[in-house]
Each structure stands twice: as structure tokens, then as C-alpha cells.
Amino acid sequence: MARVVVDVMLKPEILDPQGKAVHGALARLGVDGVGDVRQGKRFELEVEGELTDDRLSEVHRIAGTLLSNPVIEDFDVRVEDGA
Amino acid sequence: MARVVVDVMLKPEILDPQGKAVHGALARLGVDGVGDVRQGKRFELEVEGELTDDRLSEVHRIAGTLLSNPVIEDFDVRVEDGA
């Protein structure tokens, strides 16, 4: 059993209204010193059995099709330590 | 300028319908070998100036109040390498 984390973020050139809302809320709450906020998604996948290269490339395929929209989002796949 | 990442995930004992939906979709698409999926949020904060301990504890406070619901969610704050 291995835990694989997929982070999905909007591409830098895409406007992020959720992040902007958080950034605005911080300013209204009197928190300064935060220049920008981006909000994305994090997926934790429990992969059964040994994490072979085939399994990992399958996870990459899933990340690029089901978990993210490649037109507007970037994703990052990493194996979590100690899982 | 430092980039601080806040990961917010539902607590393990809380049902995660989004994760369950992804898990079900994987099964329907013929992907086996994924035991469970959990979906959460990822925030990237650009903190201006030097990242002092005060700044970091402020980010922790933000993460526990504005970015997450401590009743049902756990959060994790980490400074991104090389930022």
C-alpha cells in the first residue's frame, strides 16, 4: 500500500477567483504581508500492492484526465514518504 | 518572498463524498488497484518579506480559522523549498 498525492492547481496565467476571494478576506481581516493566494485541489490515492512504474504511470494518466483539466490546470504527482 | 503551502483535508473519520465519487469513477473507467481516494484543498500563499516565526505562526492561525473548518478538517502548513 502506497499513498500517492496529486496536487492540481490552476495554471499561473488562469484567473483564480477562489484564491482572490481568500486574499481579499485576509486583507479585510487585517492580515497583511500575504501577496497572493492560489487555491487548488489535493487528492490522496491509496494504491494497493507494490507501487511499480506501471502503477505510477497509470496514476499520471488518471491525474491528467480525470483529476485535472489539462487546458487550465497543472498537476503534480508525488509518492508520500513513509506510506 | 516565500511560498507557504497549506493542505486542508477532511479528518479521516469524516465521509468524503468527492473522494468517493472519484473512486467510483476510477472503478467505472476500469482502473483497479486504487483502494481509496480522499479529496482536499491546497492553498499557496505568497508571503511578502522574510518568513519570520511570527509570520509563520500567523499563517498557522489563518489556516486554522479562515482556510479550514477545524471541526471536520485537518490542515498542514509547510514552507515550499526553493521559494
mmCIF file of all heavy atoms in Angstrom, chain B residues 30-63:
data_model
loop_
_atom_site.group_PDB
_atom_site.id
_atom_site.type_symbol
_atom_site.label_atom_id
_atom_site.label_comp_id
_atom_site.label_asym_id
_atom_site.label_seq_id
_atom_site.Cartn_x
_atom_site.Cartn_y
_atom_site.Cartn_z
ATOM 1 N N GLY B 30 -12.380 1.356 -15.351
ATOM 2 C CA GLY B 30 -11.562 0.147 -15.474
ATOM 3 C C GLY B 30 -10.209 0.237 -14.804
ATOM 4 O O GLY B 30 -9.350 -0.615 -15.014
ATOM 5 N N VAL B 31 -10.004 1.277 -13.986
ATOM 6 C CA VAL B 31 -8.749 1.386 -13.236
ATOM 7 C C VAL B 31 -8.920 0.641 -11.927
ATOM 8 O O VAL B 31 -9.753 1.041 -11.106
ATOM 9 C CB VAL B 31 -8.393 2.862 -12.955
ATOM 10 C CG1 VAL B 31 -7.122 2.960 -12.135
ATOM 11 C CG2 VAL B 31 -8.266 3.639 -14.243
ATOM 12 N N ASP B 32 -8.169 -0.429 -11.732
ATOM 13 C CA ASP B 32 -8.246 -1.090 -10.430
ATOM 14 C C ASP B 32 -6.941 -0.842 -9.684
ATOM 15 O O ASP B 32 -5.998 -0.247 -10.217
ATOM 16 C CB ASP B 32 -8.565 -2.587 -10.564
ATOM 17 C CG ASP B 32 -7.594 -3.272 -11.502
ATOM 18 O OD1 ASP B 32 -6.673 -2.581 -11.980
ATOM 19 O OD2 ASP B 32 -7.750 -4.467 -11.769
ATOM 20 N N GLY B 33 -6.892 -1.275 -8.462
ATOM 21 C CA GLY B 33 -5.673 -1.121 -7.688
ATOM 22 C C GLY B 33 -5.620 0.165 -6.881
ATOM 23 O O GLY B 33 -4.629 0.432 -6.221
ATOM 24 N N VAL B 34 -6.689 0.969 -6.947
ATOM 25 C CA VAL B 34 -6.738 2.152 -6.087
ATOM 26 C C VAL B 34 -7.754 1.882 -4.975
ATOM 27 O O VAL B 34 -8.945 1.713 -5.238
ATOM 28 C CB VAL B 34 -7.133 3.419 -6.879
ATOM 29 C CG1 VAL B 34 -7.249 4.625 -5.947
ATOM 30 C CG2 VAL B 34 -6.116 3.701 -7.966
ATOM 31 N N GLY B 35 -7.252 1.779 -3.753
ATOM 32 C CA GLY B 35 -8.100 1.362 -2.640
ATOM 33 C C GLY B 35 -9.017 2.460 -2.150
ATOM 34 O O GLY B 35 -10.147 2.211 -1.769
ATOM 35 N N ASP B 36 -8.532 3.686 -2.146
ATOM 36 C CA ASP B 36 -9.347 4.773 -1.623
ATOM 37 C C ASP B 36 -8.827 6.092 -2.189
ATOM 38 O O ASP B 36 -7.661 6.205 -2.562
ATOM 39 C CB ASP B 36 -9.281 4.813 -0.087
ATOM 40 C CG ASP B 36 -10.399 5.672 0.497
ATOM 41 O OD1 ASP B 36 -11.422 5.879 -0.184
ATOM 42 O OD2 ASP B 36 -10.244 6.141 1.650
ATOM 43 N N VAL B 37 -9.716 7.067 -2.262
ATOM 44 C CA VAL B 37 -9.346 8.411 -2.712
ATOM 45 C C VAL B 37 -9.934 9.404 -1.715
ATOM 46 O O VAL B 37 -11.092 9.275 -1.308
ATOM 47 C CB VAL B 37 -9.903 8.710 -4.124
ATOM 48 C CG1 VAL B 37 -9.505 10.114 -4.570
ATOM 49 C CG2 VAL B 37 -9.418 7.685 -5.136
ATOM 50 N N ARG B 38 -9.130 10.366 -1.314
ATOM 51 C CA ARG B 38 -9.619 11.477 -0.492
ATOM 52 C C ARG B 38 -9.305 12.761 -1.243
ATOM 53 O O ARG B 38 -8.236 12.906 -1.837
ATOM 54 C CB ARG B 38 -8.928 11.529 0.873
ATOM 55 C CG ARG B 38 -8.957 10.259 1.687
ATOM 56 C CD ARG B 38 -10.239 10.015 2.412
ATOM 57 N NE ARG B 38 -10.473 10.952 3.515
ATOM 58 C CZ ARG B 38 -11.609 10.974 4.216
ATOM 59 N NH1 ARG B 38 -12.591 10.131 3.929
ATOM 60 N NH2 ARG B 38 -11.796 11.837 5.194
ATOM 61 N N GLN B 39 -10.255 13.681 -1.219
ATOM 62 C CA GLN B 39 -10.022 14.958 -1.904
ATOM 63 C C GLN B 39 -10.014 16.095 -0.901
ATOM 64 O O GLN B 39 -10.874 16.163 -0.008
ATOM 65 C CB GLN B 39 -11.115 15.201 -2.961
ATOM 66 C CG GLN B 39 -10.869 16.496 -3.728
ATOM 67 C CD GLN B 39 -11.832 16.720 -4.877
ATOM 68 O OE1 GLN B 39 -12.538 15.824 -5.298
ATOM 69 N NE2 GLN B 39 -11.858 17.940 -5.380
ATOM 70 N N GLY B 40 -9.053 16.969 -1.052
ATOM 71 C CA GLY B 40 -8.978 18.111 -0.164
ATOM 72 C C GLY B 40 -8.575 19.362 -0.928
ATOM 73 O O GLY B 40 -8.643 19.395 -2.158
ATOM 74 N N LYS B 41 -8.167 20.367 -0.193
ATOM 75 C CA LYS B 41 -7.815 21.646 -0.797
ATOM 76 C C LYS B 41 -6.347 21.947 -0.553
ATOM 77 O O LYS B 41 -5.769 21.539 0.446
ATOM 78 C CB LYS B 41 -8.660 22.766 -0.166
ATOM 79 C CG LYS B 41 -10.103 22.760 -0.605
ATOM 80 C CD LYS B 41 -10.914 23.804 0.154
ATOM 81 C CE LYS B 41 -11.211 23.336 1.571
ATOM 82 N NZ LYS B 41 -12.162 24.232 2.280
ATOM 83 N N ARG B 42 -5.785 22.693 -1.492
ATOM 84 C CA ARG B 42 -4.395 23.123 -1.372
ATOM 85 C C ARG B 42 -4.356 24.627 -1.601
ATOM 86 O O ARG B 42 -4.889 25.130 -2.600
ATOM 87 C CB ARG B 42 -3.556 22.413 -2.429
ATOM 88 C CG ARG B 42 -2.110 22.873 -2.509
ATOM 89 C CD ARG B 42 -1.452 22.255 -3.732
ATOM 90 N NE ARG B 42 -0.207 22.911 -4.071
ATOM 91 C CZ ARG B 42 1.009 22.481 -3.716
ATOM 92 N NH1 ARG B 42 1.118 21.387 -3.044
ATOM 93 N NH2 ARG B 42 2.091 23.142 -4.055
ATOM 94 N N PHE B 43 -3.750 25.346 -0.679
ATOM 95 C CA PHE B 43 -3.600 26.795 -0.824
ATOM 96 C C PHE B 43 -2.120 27.111 -0.939
ATOM 97 O O PHE B 43 -1.311 26.577 -0.188
ATOM 98 C CB PHE B 43 -4.160 27.531 0.399
ATOM 99 C CG PHE B 43 -5.639 27.336 0.613
ATOM 100 C CD1 PHE B 43 -6.113 26.299 1.401
ATOM 101 C CD2 PHE B 43 -6.565 28.188 0.030
ATOM 102 C CE1 PHE B 43 -7.472 26.114 1.601
ATOM 103 C CE2 PHE B 43 -7.924 28.015 0.228
ATOM 104 C CZ PHE B 43 -8.379 26.965 1.009
ATOM 105 N N GLU B 44 -1.796 28.011 -1.856
ATOM 106 C CA GLU B 44 -0.427 28.508 -1.964
ATOM 107 C C GLU B 44 -0.441 29.985 -1.610
ATOM 108 O O GLU B 44 -1.086 30.788 -2.296
ATOM 109 C CB GLU B 44 0.100 28.308 -3.389
ATOM 110 C CG GLU B 44 0.294 26.840 -3.765
ATOM 111 C CD GLU B 44 0.845 26.636 -5.170
ATOM 112 O OE1 GLU B 44 1.011 27.644 -5.899
ATOM 113 O OE2 GLU B 44 1.091 25.481 -5.540
ATOM 114 N N LEU B 45 0.243 30.328 -0.542
ATOM 115 C CA LEU B 45 0.299 31.717 -0.080
ATOM 116 C C LEU B 45 1.681 32.292 -0.377
ATOM 117 O O LEU B 45 2.692 31.682 -0.012
ATOM 118 C CB LEU B 45 0.038 31.813 1.428
ATOM 119 C CG LEU B 45 -1.409 31.737 1.911
ATOM 120 C CD1 LEU B 45 -1.971 30.334 1.750
ATOM 121 C CD2 LEU B 45 -1.502 32.153 3.379
ATOM 122 N N GLU B 46 1.704 33.433 -1.034
ATOM 123 C CA GLU B 46 2.966 34.141 -1.256
ATOM 124 C C GLU B 46 3.128 35.127 -0.107
ATOM 125 O O GLU B 46 2.409 36.132 -0.047
ATOM 126 C CB GLU B 46 2.939 34.902 -2.585
ATOM 127 C CG GLU B 46 2.705 34.056 -3.808
ATOM 128 C CD GLU B 46 3.910 33.206 -4.204
ATOM 129 O OE1 GLU B 46 5.022 33.503 -3.724
ATOM 130 O OE2 GLU B 46 3.720 32.241 -4.962
ATOM 131 N N VAL B 47 4.032 34.813 0.812
ATOM 132 C CA VAL B 47 4.243 35.689 1.957
ATOM 133 C C VAL B 47 5.349 36.678 1.618
ATOM 134 O O VAL B 47 6.447 36.279 1.226
ATOM 135 C CB VAL B 47 4.607 34.875 3.211
ATOM 136 C CG1 VAL B 47 4.877 35.801 4.390
ATOM 137 C CG2 VAL B 47 3.493 33.901 3.542
ATOM 138 N N GLU B 48 5.034 37.961 1.788
ATOM 139 C CA GLU B 48 5.995 39.006 1.415
ATOM 140 C C GLU B 48 7.065 39.155 2.483
ATOM 141 O O GLU B 48 6.800 38.932 3.671
ATOM 142 C CB GLU B 48 5.265 40.340 1.211
ATOM 143 C CG GLU B 48 4.444 40.351 -0.077
ATOM 144 C CD GLU B 48 3.443 41.490 -0.119
ATOM 145 O OE1 GLU B 48 3.210 42.136 0.923
ATOM 146 O OE2 GLU B 48 2.870 41.708 -1.208
ATOM 147 N N GLY B 49 8.241 39.536 2.075
ATOM 148 C CA GLY B 49 9.329 39.768 3.020
ATOM 149 C C GLY B 49 9.870 38.463 3.578
ATOM 150 O O GLY B 49 9.623 37.386 3.041
ATOM 151 N N GLU B 50 10.598 38.591 4.675
ATOM 152 C CA GLU B 50 11.221 37.419 5.266
ATOM 153 C C GLU B 50 10.186 36.608 6.039
ATOM 154 O O GLU B 50 9.274 37.168 6.660
ATOM 155 C CB GLU B 50 12.349 37.860 6.207
ATOM 156 C CG GLU B 50 13.445 36.819 6.370
ATOM 157 C CD GLU B 50 14.356 37.161 7.536
ATOM 158 O OE1 GLU B 50 14.434 38.352 7.902
ATOM 159 O OE2 GLU B 50 14.977 36.243 8.083
ATOM 160 N N LEU B 51 10.339 35.285 5.998
ATOM 161 C CA LEU B 51 9.375 34.419 6.684
ATOM 162 C C LEU B 51 9.841 34.189 8.119
ATOM 163 O O LEU B 51 10.491 33.197 8.439
ATOM 164 C CB LEU B 51 9.236 33.090 5.934
ATOM 165 C CG LEU B 51 8.071 32.217 6.391
ATOM 166 C CD1 LEU B 51 6.749 32.883 6.058
ATOM 167 C CD2 LEU B 51 8.146 30.849 5.736
ATOM 168 N N THR B 52 9.474 35.123 8.996
ATOM 169 C CA THR B 52 9.874 35.003 10.394
ATOM 170 C C THR B 52 8.941 34.020 11.111
ATOM 171 O O THR B 52 7.938 33.582 10.563
ATOM 172 C CB THR B 52 9.768 36.373 11.071
ATOM 173 O OG1 THR B 52 8.415 36.837 10.923
ATOM 174 C CG2 THR B 52 10.683 37.389 10.404
ATOM 175 N N ASP B 53 9.309 33.676 12.354
ATOM 176 C CA ASP B 53 8.466 32.778 13.140
ATOM 177 C C ASP B 53 7.087 33.399 13.363
ATOM 178 O O ASP B 53 6.066 32.702 13.368
ATOM 179 C CB ASP B 53 9.128 32.472 14.493
ATOM 180 C CG ASP B 53 10.281 31.487 14.331
ATOM 181 O OD1 ASP B 53 10.447 30.950 13.217
ATOM 182 O OD2 ASP B 53 11.003 31.262 15.314
ATOM 183 N N ASP B 54 7.059 34.723 13.555
ATOM 184 C CA ASP B 54 5.783 35.422 13.746
ATOM 185 C C ASP B 54 4.895 35.270 12.519
ATOM 186 O O ASP B 54 3.701 34.991 12.636
ATOM 187 C CB ASP B 54 6.028 36.918 13.996
ATOM 188 C CG ASP B 54 6.328 37.202 15.458
ATOM 189 O OD1 ASP B 54 6.411 36.222 16.236
ATOM 190 O OD2 ASP B 54 6.495 38.385 15.804
ATOM 191 N N ARG B 55 5.491 35.478 11.359
ATOM 192 C CA ARG B 55 4.758 35.344 10.098
ATOM 193 C C ARG B 55 4.191 33.937 9.956
ATOM 194 O O ARG B 55 3.039 33.740 9.564
ATOM 195 C CB ARG B 55 5.692 35.618 8.905
ATOM 196 C CG ARG B 55 5.812 37.058 8.523
ATOM 197 C CD ARG B 55 4.587 37.481 7.692
ATOM 198 N NE ARG B 55 4.313 38.908 7.824
ATOM 199 C CZ ARG B 55 4.956 39.866 7.165
ATOM 200 N NH1 ARG B 55 5.921 39.557 6.326
ATOM 201 N NH2 ARG B 55 4.635 41.125 7.337
ATOM 202 N N LEU B 56 5.026 32.950 10.288
ATOM 203 C CA LEU B 56 4.620 31.564 10.121
ATOM 204 C C LEU B 56 3.507 31.200 11.101
ATOM 205 O O LEU B 56 2.573 30.463 10.760
ATOM 206 C CB LEU B 56 5.830 30.634 10.307
ATOM 207 C CG LEU B 56 5.756 29.268 9.627
ATOM 208 C CD1 LEU B 56 5.456 29.400 8.140
ATOM 209 C CD2 LEU B 56 7.063 28.512 9.815
ATOM 210 N N SER B 57 3.572 31.747 12.311
ATOM 211 C CA SER B 57 2.506 31.437 13.261
ATOM 212 C C SER B 57 1.224 32.148 12.850
ATOM 213 O O SER B 57 0.119 31.641 13.088
ATOM 214 C CB SER B 57 2.919 31.787 14.695
ATOM 215 O OG SER B 57 3.078 33.173 14.816
ATOM 216 N N GLU B 58 1.355 33.297 12.188
ATOM 217 C CA GLU B 58 0.185 33.981 11.624
ATOM 218 C C GLU B 58 -0.458 33.117 10.537
ATOM 219 O O GLU B 58 -1.685 32.992 10.469
ATOM 220 C CB GLU B 58 0.618 35.341 11.036
ATOM 221 C CG GLU B 58 -0.475 36.139 10.354
ATOM 222 C CD GLU B 58 -1.237 37.040 11.304
ATOM 223 O OE1 GLU B 58 -1.311 36.702 12.509
ATOM 224 O OE2 GLU B 58 -1.751 38.075 10.846
ATOM 225 N N VAL B 59 0.382 32.514 9.697
ATOM 226 C CA VAL B 59 -0.144 31.623 8.656
ATOM 227 C C VAL B 59 -0.865 30.431 9.299
ATOM 228 O O VAL B 59 -1.934 30.011 8.848
ATOM 229 C CB VAL B 59 0.984 31.142 7.710
ATOM 230 C CG1 VAL B 59 0.471 30.068 6.760
ATOM 231 C CG2 VAL B 59 1.545 32.300 6.908
ATOM 232 N N HIS B 60 -0.294 29.881 10.371
ATOM 233 C CA HIS B 60 -0.961 28.780 11.080
ATOM 234 C C HIS B 60 -2.336 29.220 11.589
ATOM 235 O O HIS B 60 -3.305 28.466 11.515
ATOM 236 C CB HIS B 60 -0.110 28.307 12.258
ATOM 237 C CG HIS B 60 0.829 27.189 11.914
ATOM 238 N ND1 HIS B 60 2.112 27.406 11.467
ATOM 239 C CD2 HIS B 60 0.677 25.840 11.912
ATOM 240 C CE1 HIS B 60 2.699 26.239 11.222
ATOM 241 N NE2 HIS B 60 1.853 25.280 11.480
ATOM 242 N N ARG B 61 -2.405 30.456 12.095
ATOM 243 C CA ARG B 61 -3.664 30.961 12.622
ATOM 244 C C ARG B 61 -4.682 31.095 11.488
ATOM 245 O O ARG B 61 -5.851 30.704 11.628
ATOM 246 C CB ARG B 61 -3.424 32.315 13.300
ATOM 247 C CG ARG B 61 -4.510 32.748 14.272
ATOM 248 C CD ARG B 61 -4.177 34.101 14.878
ATOM 249 N NE ARG B 61 -4.042 35.161 13.868
ATOM 250 C CZ ARG B 61 -5.064 35.758 13.263
ATOM 251 N NH1 ARG B 61 -6.300 35.433 13.557
ATOM 252 N NH2 ARG B 61 -4.850 36.707 12.357
ATOM 253 N N ILE B 62 -4.236 31.625 10.353
ATOM 254 C CA ILE B 62 -5.106 31.752 9.184
ATOM 255 C C ILE B 62 -5.612 30.374 8.747
ATOM 256 O O ILE B 62 -6.798 30.186 8.468
ATOM 257 C CB ILE B 62 -4.345 32.399 8.009
ATOM 258 C CG1 ILE B 62 -3.964 33.844 8.315
ATOM 259 C CG2 ILE B 62 -5.154 32.319 6.728
ATOM 260 C CD1 ILE B 62 -2.932 34.410 7.342
ATOM 261 N N ALA B 63 -4.669 29.410 8.700
ATOM 262 C CA ALA B 63 -5.019 28.064 8.218
ATOM 263 C C ALA B 63 -6.084 27.429 9.111
ATOM 264 O O ALA B 63 -6.979 26.734 8.624
ATOM 265 C CB ALA B 63 -3.771 27.184 8.180
#
